[in-house]
């Protein structure tokens, strides 16, 4: 039975819609599990925390521990890189107060505000739909190697983000829900996953950087793209974009700076204490690692939203390697013209004739 071009186009459009819907619900489920619980616990546990703080303030042993924390030197026969003659290191107490206080306390609220902002944006503007009718013609965007590299990094990113957030504020969130024994087993597993997958993740991030850095140098068109926020300001006219647009380049350089330098370097310092770093370096790296990681996750939420739901057709490119000709003209018009001028061909969804040549590629978008 022969299927017409219009029928084939409808089938592909419905398949892409189902893919976007599945990605959206998966994204919402992950965010609901990782963000809803902390907010509920913090709100309901406020009076308990205040009572504990009042009890500690009136604790008669407080004066004794203030003396201990003065850091007076003693003697120990222990040996090792972190062994000192001080019973209580005051810097360690300050680190714990900072990590378990502002860092762990504000992180879930930051992520929740980002999710709220994305929801409001989607409610007001909606997705960036293609105005033209889909012709069924496809243009190659990502090679198989690039897609494997992207999904390798993306999968490890999700696992590390969930395990890392669990270790950061999981005690306050999960112990009241699942109990201390279940949380102990879960935290031990999360720590194992986080420590051992981290170096493999860094390898993928480094490969992505060297594979795509030449496509992410800013141009004048990128400045105009950022000024109009991709066409959302200034009358809704979509700005010009080449192989990668301004937003994709910002995301790439966030990975290269906050991600690669801030998160990955501090992660290596924490993962391999046998390098000889000092206790103070480990404490500082722990705080920076948590802060940079939360920032990275927050920005990644916007990236995931645009790829899955905000710009229909984007996720299809990273799954199948191809995007529609109409998507290309809307989001990367300069790249489309360059591809056509250079002899790049499109493939017909109905006939399958004309195998597409790989077009110039950039960072994930």
């Amino acid at each position: 039975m022969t299927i017409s071009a219009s029928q084939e186009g409808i089938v592909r459009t419905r398949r892409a819609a189902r893919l976007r819907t599945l990605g959206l619900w998966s994204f919402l489920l992950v965010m609901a599990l990782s963000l809803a619980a902390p907010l509920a616990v913090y709100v309901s546990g406020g009076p308990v925390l205040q009572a504990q703080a009042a009890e500690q303030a009136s604790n008669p042993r407080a004066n004794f521990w203030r003396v201990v924390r003065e850091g007076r030197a003693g003697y120990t026969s222990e040996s090792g890189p972190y062994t000192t003659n001080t019973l209580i290191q005051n810097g360690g107490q300050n680190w714990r107060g900072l990590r378990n206080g502002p860092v762990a306390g504000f992180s879930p609220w930051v992520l929740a505000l980002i999710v709220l902002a994305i929801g409001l944006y989607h409610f007001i503007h909606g997705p960036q739909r293609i105005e033209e009718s889909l012709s069924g013609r496809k243009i190659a965007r990502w090679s198989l190697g690039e897609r494997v590299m992207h999904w390798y990094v993306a999968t490890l990113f999700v696992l590390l983000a969930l395990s890392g957030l669990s270790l950061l504020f999981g005690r306050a969130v999960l112990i009241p829900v699942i109990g201390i024994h279940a949380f102990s087993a879960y935290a031990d597993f999360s720590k194992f996953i986080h420590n051992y997958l981290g170096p493999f993740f860094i390898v993928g991030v480094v490969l992505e950087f060297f594979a795509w850095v030449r496509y992410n140098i800013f141009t004048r068109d990128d400045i105009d793209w950022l000024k109009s926020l991709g066409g959302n300001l200034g009358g809704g006219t979509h700005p010009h974009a080449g192989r990668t647009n301004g937003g994709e380049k910002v995301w790439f350089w966030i990975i290269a700076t906050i991600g690669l330098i801030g998160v990955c370097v501090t992660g290596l310092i924490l993962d391999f204490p046998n390098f000889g770093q000092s206790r103070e370096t480990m404490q500082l790296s722990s705080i920076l690692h948590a802060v940079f990681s939360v920032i990275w996750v927050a920005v990644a939420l916007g990236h995931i939203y645009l790829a899955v739901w905000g710009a229909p057709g984007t996720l299809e490119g990273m799954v199948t390697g191809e995007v529609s000709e109409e998507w290309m003209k809307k989001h990367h018009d300069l790249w489309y013209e360059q591809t056509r001028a250079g002899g790049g061909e499109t493939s017909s969804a109905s006939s399958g004739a004309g195998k597409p040549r790989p077009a110039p590629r950039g960072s994930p978008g």
Side-chain angles (χ1 to χ4, degrees):
M1 178 178 179
T2 303
I3 300 178
S4 64
S6 60
Q7 291 175 327
E8 181 66 20
I10 293 175
V11 172
R12 294 177 68 92
T13 301
R14 290 178 177 175
R15 185 183 300 116
R18 289 196 298 268
L19 183 64
R20 290 194 301 271
T21 302
L22 178 61
L24 173 64
W25 283 109
S26 300
F27 167 71
L28 293 177
L29 177 61
V30 171
M31 294 315 305
L33 293 175
S34 60
L35 296 178
L39 299 180
V41 172
Y42 283 132
V43 172
S44 62
V48 176
L49 296 177
Q50 293 177 1
Q52 291 177 349
E55 180 182 354
Q56 293 174 358
S58 60
N59 192 333
R61 293 178 295 178
N63 292 333
F64 169 78
W65 285 107
R66 290 192 186 97
V67 174
V68 172
R69 290 186 59 185
E70 290 179 357
R72 296 179 182 179
Y75 169 77
T76 179
S77 59
E78 293 290 334
S79 61
Y82 299 114
T83 300
T84 67
N85 292 330
T86 303
L87 178 61
I88 298 293
Q89 187 210 26
N90 192 53
Q93 296 287 359
N94 294 333
W95 163 82
R96 187 175 69 169
L98 181 60
R99 180 199 179 277
N100 296 341
V103 176
F106 287 112
S107 295
W109 293 101
V110 170
L111 298 178
L113 289 176
I114 293 297
V115 173
L116 177 62
I118 292 174
L120 290 175
Y121 172 85
H122 184 77
F123 177 78
I124 296 173
H125 295 279
Q128 301 179 20
R129 300 190 181 278
I130 306 297
E131 292 80 8
E132 299 182 55
S133 299
L134 296 180
S135 63
R137 292 187 294 272
K138 299 291 181 178
I139 299 180
R141 178 158 174 79
W142 305 111
S143 68
L144 177 60
E146 287 174 315
R147 282 179 281 150
V148 170
M149 180 171 59
H150 171 270
W151 289 115
Y152 168 83
V153 172
T155 301
L156 292 181
F157 179 85
V158 172
L159 292 175
L160 291 171
L162 293 179
S163 61
L165 293 177
S166 298
L167 295 172
L168 180 59
F169 49 78
R171 290 176 59 88
V173 175
L174 297 177
I175 289 180
V177 178
I178 64 178
I180 189 171
H181 298 293
F183 173 77
S184 176
Y186 170 75
D188 186 65
F189 178 74
S190 295
K191 181 177 179 294
F192 176 85
I193 289 292
H194 205 82
N195 289 347
Y196 282 91
L197 291 186
F200 292 98
F201 173 73
I202 295 175
V203 172
V205 174
V206 172
L207 290 177
E208 281 191 335
F209 175 80
F210 286 106
W212 290 325
V213 63
R214 64 184 184 275
Y215 300 126
N216 286 277
I217 306 302
F218 284 97
T219 66
R220 177 75 183 202
D221 293 319
D222 299 320
I223 297 177
D224 296 334
W225 193 99
L226 293 173
K227 286 181 178 179
S228 66
L229 293 179
N232 292 302
L233 300 178
T237 302
H238 202 284
H240 298 297
R243 297 173 180 175
T244 53
N245 59 43
E248 291 168 339
K249 292 179 180 179
V250 168
W251 167 241
F252 175 86
W253 288 109
I254 286 177
I255 294 177
T257 54
I258 292 179
L260 191 58
I261 299 176
V263 176
C264 295
V265 171
T266 55
L268 286 176
I269 293 175
L270 296 172
D271 219 1
F272 298 96
N274 51 307
F275 287 165
Q277 54 269 36
S278 66
R279 188 187 298 267
E280 290 76 13
T281 300
M282 296 282 286
Q283 293 165 353
L284 177 61
S285 297
S286 174
I287 298 298
L288 294 178
H289 187 76
V291 172
F292 285 134
S293 296
V294 170
I295 295 175
W296 198 0
V297 171
V299 179
L301 295 178
H303 175 75
I304 295 171
Y305 162 74
L306 290 174
V308 174
W309 194 252
T314 303
L315 180 62
E316 182 181 2
M318 189 52 74
V319 173
T320 67
E322 295 181 329
V323 294
S324 68
E325 186 179 51
E326 293 73 24
W327 183 94
M328 177 79 79
K329 287 191 290 186
K330 176 179 178 64
H331 295 284
H332 299 273
D333 58 334
L334 299 180
W335 183 31
Y336 172 76
E337 295 298 334
Q338 178 186 352
T339 302
R340 300 296 293 172
E345 300 177 0
T346 59
S347 63
S348 172
S350 58
S351 64
K355 184 178 180 180
R357 301 177 184 177
R361 295 176 289 271
S363 65

